[in-house]
Amino acid sequence: MRSQGQVRFLRVSGRTQKRAAVGVVVLTLAYGGSLTALTVIRWHESYDIDKLLSRQARVEKAENRVAAYRKNLDGVASDLQRRQDFIEKVTQTRLGELPKAARHGDTVTNSSTEAAKTVRKVSAAVPEAANLARMEARQLAFVESLTRYADHRSAADVAMLRKLGLNPQMMLAALDDGDAMGGPLFPMSTDADGSIDPRFARLGASLSRMSAIEQGLARVPQVLPASMNSISSGFGFRSDPFTHHGSFHPGLDFRGPRGAPIYAAARGVVTFVGQRSGYGNCVEVTHGDGLVTRYGHMSGFHSHVGQQVAAGQTIGAIGSTGRSTGPHLHFEVRINDRPVNPRPFLEARTHVSPPITRPDSRPSSSAKGSD
């Protein structure tokens, strides 16, 4: 150490140096530890603040979404309303006005009273869901109306079948024999738990029954077998064109030119093609449930045994073979091999066109036929 021109030397022992070094290290570690502790404390404080802010953000987001959903319920209900309007208008265009109220003999439930109570309860408990409750009530009312329509249509078709002398139950049993059926299973349900509302199940059953009866009706003669609008000889008693004595005529005679097409009166299977005594060239089509149509006096065949034919499909040509006085078609409808009047069958369906009419003037002998 230099002081006032003099230099002095200080000697520090090794022990003192070690103690000084240890002191410096301890102070350094203490300082570093305090900084670390302060940093950890501040990090914890910052983490707690961030966690709180994040929690507040999540709560705010959930509240916003709930508010949005509540606000959007009206939009959802409005969309459902427009869709239901569309469904009802399209259905009405195709099926006409659906029956709103039940009539005597109906077995379809009427949920209108109970649905009104449900709407009131839902509106009181969850006001924002009131519009959805009203839409549900309207949907159930529509389902029940559609079920009534299917039941009424089935009842009318069944009555017509019975009037024609056919057994609807036997016809349905023949169509639903469970044979030759299969395919993958795709269960249908209306609820999240896989169940189906009884009212929807009833609708499905009613529509299935209506479809089955309509399928049976497709096998009932309802199409004019020849393209003319006059009958030269009717069903029942008449004066025989050969003997001029009273006789029974088991069908209708349609006057027409030789070679004119003859059409199947209904869907079925051709079970006979050939000649029968009195009928000449003859074709028979079996329609099921003991129902057969017979076409006689043909000049040519356009079908074969075993052929599936549709209503209105050409199966032959008009001629004058067999016991006949001129070109015409002899048409019969037979139930269990018993001839019945074909006219009620051909006039049963309102869309039959052209109408069957008897000419004003007496037919000439060339237009008559007999079997």
Side-chain angles (χ1 to χ4, degrees):
M1 296 179 62
R2 183 182 296 276
S3 176
Q4 297 180 357
Q6 297 181 357
V7 178
R8 298 180 181 181
F9 295 92
L10 299 176
R11 185 179 297 275
V12 181
S13 63
R15 179 179 296 180
T16 302
Q17 292 181 30
K18 290 180 180 179
R19 288 177 180 176
V22 170
V24 171
V25 171
V26 169
L27 290 175
T28 302
L29 291 176
Y31 179 74
S34 63
L35 289 178
T36 302
L38 180 61
T39 301
V40 170
I41 291 173
R42 290 182 177 179
W43 180 82
H44 274 291
E45 291 178 350
S46 175
Y47 175 78
D48 291 339
I49 292 174
D50 290 342
K51 186 176 181 180
L52 178 62
L53 292 176
S54 177
R55 180 172 177 273
Q56 289 177 346
R58 287 198 299 270
V59 170
E60 182 181 2
K61 182 179 180 180
E63 290 177 351
N64 288 341
R65 295 306 300 158
V66 170
Y69 277 121
R70 285 179 175 173
K71 182 179 179 181
N72 196 44
L73 281 179
D74 291 336
V76 172
S78 179
D79 289 343
L80 292 177
Q81 177 80 19
R82 285 190 288 269
R83 292 175 185 177
Q84 187 67 24
D85 288 340
F86 179 86
I87 292 173
E88 292 182 5
K89 288 180 181 178
V90 170
T91 303
Q92 183 177 358
T93 301
R94 178 63 179 169
L95 304 180
E97 190 71 25
L98 297 180
K100 301 296 184 182
R103 69 184 186 186
H104 180 71
D106 280 353
T107 58
V108 183
T109 58
N110 189 339
S111 301
S112 58
T113 302
E114 191 63 30
K117 293 180 181 178
T118 301
V119 170
R120 288 195 296 269
K121 290 182 179 179
V122 171
S123 300
V126 190
E128 58 270 17
N131 288 333
L132 290 179
R134 295 188 186 95
M135 275 306 306
E136 182 183 20
R138 181 178 173 185
Q139 184 184 74
L140 292 177
F142 175 74
V143 166
E144 290 172 347
S145 295
L146 192 57
T147 304
R148 291 190 192 96
Y149 169 84
D151 287 352
H152 294 175
R153 182 164 173 173
S154 296
D157 291 342
V158 165
M160 185 180 72
L161 289 172
R162 287 175 177 164
K163 184 178 180 181
L164 295 174
L166 301 174
N167 188 330
Q169 299 304 323
M170 291 182 61
M171 181 176 293
L172 290 175
L175 292 172
D176 189 23
D177 58 4
D179 190 22
M181 299 175 66
L185 174 63
F186 294 104
M188 295 182 65
S189 63
T190 58
D191 299 327
D193 61 359
S195 62
I196 184 169
D197 187 291
R199 290 161 291 198
F200 286 77
R202 173 59 192 279
L203 171 62
S206 294
L207 290 176
S208 295
R209 185 171 186 270
M210 182 187 74
S211 177
I213 295 175
E214 291 289 336
Q215 186 178 352
L217 280 174
R219 299 178 178 273
V220 173
Q222 55 188 286
V223 174
L224 285 172
S227 59
M228 68 289 291
N229 61 356
S230 64
I231 298 175
S232 58
S233 185
F235 177 86
F237 178 84
R238 72 171 182 179
S239 175
D240 185 82
F242 291 96
T243 67
H244 303 290
H245 295 301
S247 65
F248 174 75
H249 188 227
L252 298 177
D253 286 345
F254 290 86
R255 180 175 49 203
R258 188 184 304 273
I262 297 173
Y263 309 105
R267 184 177 64 190
V269 180
V270 178
T271 52
F272 180 84
V273 175
Q275 292 189 344
R276 286 193 181 278
S277 176
Y279 293 90
N281 293 334
C282 177
V283 169
E284 292 181 0
V285 179
T286 298
H287 308 282
D289 195 30
L291 185 63
V292 175
T293 50
R294 180 177 292 176
Y295 311 79
H297 308 309
M298 290 182 171
S299 61
F301 302 120
H302 297 296
S303 56
H304 58 83
V305 173
Q307 180 181 353
Q308 296 274 352
V309 294
Q313 182 175 338
T314 301
I315 58 175
I318 288 179
S320 187
T321 58
R323 193 170 184 268
S324 171
T325 60
H328 71 284
L329 164 67
H330 173 84
F331 174 66
E332 285 185 19
V333 174
R334 306 179 75 90
I335 299 178
N336 298 324
D337 205 28
R338 178 179 60 87
V340 297
N341 190 356
R343 184 185 288 271
F345 287 88
L346 300 178
E347 294 179 344
R349 301 301 289 268
T350 57
H351 64 269
V352 174
S353 179
I356 301 175
T357 58
R358 182 180 293 276
D360 295 333
S361 59
R362 292 187 61 183
S364 62
S365 61
S366 63
K368 292 185 178 181
S370 176
D371 303 300

